[in-house]
C-alpha cells in the first residue's frame, strides 16, 4: 500500500497486481494512519467538507472500501461538528472535533466509546 499525500490518493496492488485506490470524498486528506488491524483511518480537511451528513473521519480496509464513518458526538443533525484530527495511544484512538469534543473511537465497530467536552 502507498499513501500519496501530494496527489491525495491511497493505492494498493494485490497479489495479482490489480490496482485499487481511494481518493478523498470531499476535500483532501489531512491525516492518515494504518491501524494495527490493517485498516486505514482517515480524516479529511474539515473546511467545506460535505458528504450528505456523514463525518469527515472514516475507515477503509485494504481493498480501499469504506468500512465506516465515525458518527458526530453531538446528536443535533443541524450541527455537523467535523473532526480536526486524531491521536493514537497504543490500541486506543481519540479524535477531536472543531467545537472541542474529544471522543474515544471503537475502531472495529466505528462507534464512539466515550465523549468529553474539553473547553
Amino acid at each position: 500500500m502507498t499513501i500519496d499525500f501530494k496527489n491525495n490518493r491511497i493505492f494498493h496492488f494485490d497479489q495479482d497486481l490489480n490496482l485499487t485506490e481511494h481518493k478523498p470524498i470531499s476535500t483532501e486528506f489531512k491525516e492518515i494512519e494504518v491501524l494495527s488491524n490493517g485498516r486505514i483511518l482517515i480524516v479529511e480537511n474539515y473546511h467545506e467538507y460535505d458528504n450528505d451528513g456523514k463525518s469527515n473521519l472514516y475507515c477503509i480496509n485494504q481493498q480501499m472500501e469504506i468500512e465506516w464513518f465515525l458518527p458526530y458526538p453531538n446528536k443535533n443533525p443541524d450541527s455537523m461538528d467535523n473532526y480536526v484530527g486524531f491521536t493514537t495511544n497504543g490500541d486506543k484512538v481519540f479524535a477531536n472535533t472543531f467545537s472541542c469534543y474529544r471522543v474515544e473511537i471503537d475502531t472495529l465497530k466505528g462507534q464512539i466509546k466515550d465523549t468529553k467536552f474539553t473547553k
Side-chain angles (χ1 to χ4, degrees):
M1 174 188 22
T2 301
I3 299 170
D4 182 358
F5 269 103
K6 182 179 176 187
N7 295 307
N8 269 304
R9 67 183 221 157
I10 303 169
F11 58 95
H12 174 71
F13 288 97
D14 66 15
Q15 61 194 26
D16 297 324
L17 298 178
N18 295 315
L19 174 69
T20 54
E21 73 175 330
H22 176 76
K23 293 183 179 183
I25 294 167
S26 176
T27 56
E28 67 271 342
F29 297 137
K30 182 175 185 293
E31 202 169 338
I32 299 172
E33 183 157 341
V34 180
L35 302 173
S36 60
N37 62 12
R39 291 180 172 165
I40 304 157
L41 193 61
I42 299 171
V43 67
E44 288 190 24
N45 189 338
Y46 68 90
H47 184 68
E48 297 184 4
Y49 179 85
D50 183 23
N51 187 23
D52 295 323
K54 295 177 183 167
S55 81
N56 65 320
L57 195 154
Y58 56 95
C59 183
I60 63 175
N61 59 30
Q62 292 287 318
Q63 290 75 40
M64 306 295 127
E65 302 164 330
I66 296 173
E67 293 279 323
W68 49 258
F69 288 90
L70 190 65
Y72 293 112
N74 188 341
K75 301 300 180 199
N76 181 351
D78 296 328
S79 173
M80 288 186 265
D81 187 15
N82 284 319
Y83 293 96
V84 295
F86 60 83
T87 56
T88 57
N89 184 2
D91 286 337
K92 291 188 175 191
V93 180
F94 301 91
N96 297 313
T97 70
F98 185 78
S99 63
C100 303
Y101 284 94
R102 179 181 168 120
V103 299
E104 184 177 356
I105 304 169
D106 179 334
T107 59
L108 294 177
K109 297 178 183 175
Q111 298 174 347
I112 295 174
K113 291 168 107 173
D114 186 40
T115 303
K116 290 194 177 16
F117 185 68
T118 61
K119 188 171 184 181

